[in-house]
């Protein structure tokens, strides 16, 4: 249930089912049945218009229409007169529809209380034009609830991009698995509430895309036990700048709350007082000059990971510190200023990254380091391969990718996380989990999940400072 499948992978499992003796007609009948069941669950009996398109998504629409009519619902189907061609499952589904059939242009949307969108599914590959464009526009403007079959029509299944015009659904019933478009913007918004319904296909044998969920990483996270002490829980260093000290202080709180045994703030001497007073249970160390930074870092007992970037200025000194940290080859989080410091010459950073590093750029920071085009999954994956590390590309549709393959997409997306300091909390959480022994991918995914869950429970009005106190009850729930 955590796999997210590309259109090609969906076709693969469909073909495998056919090779095992199932027919497309049977799969379509199942799809129509599960969607009709969801309509019955979500809505009271009402007049329905089904928009049926030229392919199998349209075929599903005809089956849903038949199932709802059998339950006594008033249903009309709208489709193009010329299609589908006189073969295949979609044609069969259409010929089994004995109710009213009209052309798109003859729809009076005000006569209906529910629109079922079966125009296009995973087969849409190019921008939609008329008659589909106009019917999509009118459906969106009607204000009537829309339930999309599999994906909202007009959205590209693999990228979530809008191909000209796209249905804005209230509900989307995803068949068998989620597709990237249910998670990536703008498809995520167009999907409304997405519900996944099994249609009896076997899982894809080698999935590479996953939706973020505790099942992906919780076996790597160990709650403290009686034999633990602060050293076995891991010691992390956060490099704090002389100014903008709030950022590293937020990271420190998050790293400690998520369970790091010890956190030391390593900072220039003039800022030590600020960091010392930030809370009571962390340590501070100073480095007078970048030339003695490595010495100071090496003197820290049982050091298990380093975070640099929150509040760091994008300067030569920051670049020097990053180089010194990367030489240690230890678990490292690079965020904010530690990324922007390399904007002029990204290669200087990229060639030194290694498998224990997590980068946490937002789109702007990402573009300063990588000139990669494509959808968010492609860009994050390619960047992770180029940099040979883990990359968490932030946003309402955060994507986390590794150099070795798996990609995790966040499903939650909490709007009120878009406020100052939440990124510092995230990088602190990742550090806190890395020093406890989680691998970069798992640490990044778990941290992002915690951040979103906390934000969700805090609600509108969230401040970054509110998040750390939410962490204990969340850890207890894992
Ligand atoms: N994969 C599976 O295992 C199953 C898929 N089913 C349904 O089948 C759908 C996929 O069906 P299809 O592959 O037939 O694809 P679609 O129904 O998404 O659409 C493809 C059809 O639209 C046409 N088309 C594509 N882009 C167009 C454009 N811009 N303007 C006009 N016409 C365009 C194509 O020529 C083709 O006729 C799924 O989304 C799902 O709803 C279900 O029937 C059950 C099983
Ligand atoms: K659809």
């Amino acid at each position: 249930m955590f796999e997210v499948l590309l259109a090609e992978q969906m076709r693969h499992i469909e073909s495998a089912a056919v090779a095992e003796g199932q027919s497309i007609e049977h799969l379509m009948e199942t799809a129509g049945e599960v969607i009709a069941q969801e309509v019955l669950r979500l809505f009271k009996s009402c007049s329905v218009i089904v928009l049926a398109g030229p392919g199998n998504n349209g075929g599903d629409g005809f089956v849903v229409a038949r199932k709802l009519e059998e339950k006594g619902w008033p249903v009309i189907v709208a489709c193009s007169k010329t299609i589908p061609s006189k073969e295949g499952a979609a044609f069969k589904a259409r010929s089994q529809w004995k109710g009213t059939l009209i052309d798109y242009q003859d729809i009076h949307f005000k006569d209906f209380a529910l629109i079922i969108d079966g125009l296009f599914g995973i087969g849409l590959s190019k921008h939609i034009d008329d008659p589909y464009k106009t019917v999509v526009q009118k459906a969106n403007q009607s204000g009537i609830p829309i339930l999309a079959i599999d994906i909202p029509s007009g959205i590209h299944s693999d990228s979530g991009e809008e191909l000209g015009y796209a249905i804005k659904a209230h509900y989307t019933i995803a068949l068998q698995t989620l597709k990237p478009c249910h998670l990536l913007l703008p498809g995520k918004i167009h999907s409304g509430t997405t519900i996944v319904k099994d249609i009896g296909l076997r899982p894809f044998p080698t999935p590479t895309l996953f939706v973020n969920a505790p099942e992906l990483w919780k076996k790597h996270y160990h709650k403290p036990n009686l034999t633990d002490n602060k050293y076995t829980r891991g010691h992390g260093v956060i490099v704090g700048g002389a100014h903008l000290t709030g950022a590293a202080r937020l990271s420190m709180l998050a790293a400690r709350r998520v369970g790091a045994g010890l956190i030391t703030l390593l900072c220039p001497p003039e800022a030590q007082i600020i960091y010392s007073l930030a809370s009571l249970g962390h340590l501070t160390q100073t480095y007078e000059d970048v030339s003695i930074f490595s010495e100071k870092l090496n003197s820290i007992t049982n050091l298990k990971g380093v975070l640099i970037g929150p509040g760091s200025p994008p300067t030569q000194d920051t670049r020097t510190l990053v180089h010194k940290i990367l030489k240690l080859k230890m678990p490292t989080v690079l965020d904010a200023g530690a990324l922007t410091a390399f904007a002029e010459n990204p290669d200087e950073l990229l060639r030194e990254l290694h498998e224990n590093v997590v980068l946490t750029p937002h789109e702007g920071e990402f573009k300063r380091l990588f000139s990669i085009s494509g959808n968010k999954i492609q860009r994050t994956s390619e960047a992770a391969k180029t940099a040979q590390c883990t990359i968490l590309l932030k946003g309402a549709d955060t994507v986390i990718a590794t150099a070795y393959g798996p990609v995790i997409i966040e499903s939650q997306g909490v709007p009120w996380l878009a406020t100052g300091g939440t990124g510092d909390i995230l990088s602190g959480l990742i550090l806190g989990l890395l020093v406890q022994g989680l691998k970069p991918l798992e640490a990044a995914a778990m941290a992002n999940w915690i951040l979103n869950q906390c934000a969700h429970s805090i609600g509108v009005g969230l401040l970054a400072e509110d998040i750390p106190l939410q962490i204990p009850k969340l850890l207890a729930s894992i």
Side-chain angles (χ1 to χ4, degrees):
M1 285 303 272
F2 311 109
E3 300 93 338
V4 177
L5 293 191
L6 299 170
E8 192 190 334
Q9 296 170 329
M10 277 304 298
R11 293 214 181 83
H12 176 96
I13 59 173
E14 185 188 45
S15 306
V18 171
E20 282 180 8
Q22 287 201 52
S23 65
I24 301 285
E25 285 81 357
H26 174 75
L27 289 170
M28 194 173 278
E29 192 71 17
T30 308
E33 175 64 32
V34 299
I35 290 160
Q37 288 300 332
E38 281 306 292
V39 174
L40 294 169
R41 187 176 72 80
L42 294 166
F43 297 91
K44 292 200 174 77
S45 179
C46 62
S47 57
V48 177
I49 178 81
V50 176
L51 310 177
N56 286 349
N57 196 257
D60 295 348
F62 277 104
V63 178
V64 178
R66 172 158 46 83
K67 303 276 178 193
L68 290 178
E69 203 182 52
E70 281 165 13
K71 295 283 178 190
W73 289 39
V75 183
I76 289 178
V77 180
C79 81
S80 170
K81 288 197 185 83
T82 51
I83 40 187
S85 60
K86 295 192 179 224
E87 55 187 32
F91 177 75
K92 194 168 168 198
R94 178 175 171 159
S95 57
Q96 285 176 327
W97 171 244
K98 305 298 177 204
T100 310
L101 197 56
I102 60 173
D103 217 322
Y104 301 127
Q105 70 210 28
D106 299 325
I107 305 170
H108 297 287
F109 280 101
K110 63 177 173 31
D111 297 342
F112 303 97
L114 173 64
I115 298 168
I116 294 182
D117 159 33
L119 288 173
F120 298 106
I122 61 170
L124 185 73
S125 54
K126 51 186 196 285
H127 277 53
I128 61 167
D129 222 325
D130 275 335
Y132 308 109
K133 187 172 112 178
T134 301
V135 76
V136 167
Q137 278 176 325
K138 285 188 174 166
N140 285 345
Q141 285 160 5
S142 71
I144 301 163
I146 303 176
L147 181 140
I149 298 175
D150 204 14
I151 72 172
S153 299
I155 293 290
H156 190 275
S157 189
D158 289 351
S159 71
E161 283 154 357
E162 191 174 2
L163 296 173
Y165 296 86
I167 284 287
K168 278 213 163 126
H170 295 69
Y171 294 98
T172 294
I173 313 302
L175 297 172
Q176 191 66 29
T177 67
L178 287 170
K179 286 79 186 178
C181 69
H182 301 119
L183 303 166
L184 298 179
L185 294 175
K188 179 188 178 98
I189 295 170
H190 281 262
S191 300
T193 302
T194 301
I195 300 163
V196 183
K197 295 307 284 183
D198 195 322
I199 56 166
L201 295 170
R202 285 188 197 276
F204 186 70
T206 52
T208 50
L209 294 176
F210 303 90
V211 60
N212 198 4
E215 286 69 11
L216 297 179
W217 36 257
K218 71 176 179 190
K219 65 174 182 289
H220 303 285
Y221 167 70
H222 303 291
K223 287 188 183 161
N225 62 45
L226 290 176
T227 62
D228 274 324
N229 59 51
K230 63 189 175 192
Y231 296 109
T232 60
R233 297 298 291 171
H235 191 165
V237 159
I238 297 175
V239 181
H243 309 287
L244 299 176
T245 57
R249 285 184 281 162
L250 285 169
S251 300
M252 179 268 290
L253 286 177
R256 290 181 55 214
R257 280 281 174 207
V258 82
L262 280 170
I263 292 292
T264 295
L265 256 152
L266 188 52
C267 61
E270 63 269 32
Q272 187 180 23
I273 183 75
I274 300 172
Y275 290 119
S276 305
L277 294 174
S279 73
L280 301 177
H282 68 291
L283 306 169
T284 56
Q285 285 264 7
T286 58
Y287 64 96
E288 290 69 24
D289 190 79
V290 291
S291 63
I292 61 157
F293 179 80
S294 298
E295 194 185 312
K296 291 282 183 167
L297 205 54
N298 288 327
S299 72
I300 287 168
T301 330
N302 199 34
L303 180 62
K304 288 287 193 292
V306 183
L307 161 63
I308 181 167
S312 299
T315 57
Q316 177 57 48
D317 273 3
T318 298
R319 286 197 288 279
T320 306
L321 299 184
V322 170
H323 288 309
K324 286 172 186 281
I325 294 165
L326 289 175
K327 278 205 176 67
L328 301 177
K329 301 281 178 207
M330 69 162 46
T332 299
V333 188
L334 301 183
D335 185 27
L339 303 173
T340 305
F342 293 92
E344 303 274 297
N345 185 10
D347 283 346
E348 183 190 335
L349 173 68
L350 300 185
R351 61 174 171 254
E352 288 187 13
L353 296 171
H354 55 80
E355 61 177 2
N356 290 324
V357 175
V358 181
L359 307 185
T360 54
H362 54 56
E363 282 286 354
E365 289 159 347
F366 185 89
K367 286 192 184 116
R368 281 174 216 139
L369 294 181
F370 303 99
S371 332
I372 297 174
S373 56
N375 68 54
K376 195 162 180 175
I377 294 171
Q378 291 166 332
R379 287 185 296 123
T380 318
S381 298
E382 203 178 318
K385 288 190 178 103
T386 305
Q388 285 298 302
C389 69
T390 296
I391 297 184
L392 182 153
L393 180 51
K394 290 187 272 203
D397 52 355
T398 294
V399 174
I400 308 165
T402 55
Y404 58 90
V407 175
I408 297 177
I409 314 170
E410 187 58 59
S411 69
Q412 302 181 71
V414 184
W416 41 93
L417 266 176
T419 182
T422 53
D424 308 317
I425 297 283
L426 177 67
S427 53
L429 287 169
I430 299 172
L431 175 73
L433 294 167
L434 286 174
V435 302
Q436 291 175 76
L438 272 79
K439 296 282 177 230
L441 178 69
E442 285 83 20
M446 181 169 169
N448 205 62
W449 185 86
I450 289 174
L451 179 74
N452 279 275
Q453 289 287 332
C454 289
H456 189 70
S457 62
I458 294 167
V460 188
L462 166 149
L463 299 181
E465 294 89 311
D466 304 333
I467 297 170
L469 274 176
Q470 300 289 322
I471 295 170
K473 75 168 184 245
L474 207 62
L475 291 178
S477 75
I478 292 170

